[in-house]
Amino acid sequence: MRSGNEPVTARSPLRLRFWLSLWGLIWAAGGAAAFSMAGRPGWAAACGVLAVLAAVDLAVVIRHIRQGPHYQPGPDIPPYEPPREPPRKPPHG
């Protein structure tokens, strides 16, 4: 639910998440290759799991980026029903 105080210039973190996922994928795949050549199958498997997770995250991020922006209500649409004024009491006198 909108709170009514969203920043006007808010930007999506998807591009940053894309680059971080790509960076993680490169390092995890490189680590898996290096550990497998060094004869460390446990570490190679751990890096391989991280590479798979980074690849899945990268695929999700790319999918979200390709979907484009989603509808967001504009500033003229209130986030909730405006409160009604209570009935006024007549003055005594």
Side-chain angles (χ1 to χ4, degrees):
M1 181 169 165
R2 294 181 49 232
S3 63
N5 61 352
E6 294 86 3
V8 177
T9 59
R11 293 175 31 171
S12 171
L14 286 176
R15 301 254 182 231
L16 175 64
R17 191 169 149 198
F18 169 81
W19 290 111
L20 289 174
S21 294
L22 186 62
W23 182 253
L25 178 61
I26 291 168
W27 276 99
F35 280 123
S36 66
M37 286 191 282
R40 303 278 189 173
W43 285 104
C47 286
V49 169
L50 284 175
V52 168
L53 288 174
V56 168
D57 186 49
L58 194 61
V60 169
V61 169
I62 290 172
R63 180 176 177 263
H64 286 184
I65 289 173
R66 286 187 179 172
Q67 284 179 343
H70 296 288
Y71 170 75
Q72 294 292 320
D76 55 332
I77 299 174
Y80 47 82
E81 185 73 27
R84 297 181 190 202
E85 291 187 27
R88 296 185 180 193
K89 295 181 181 177
H92 295 289

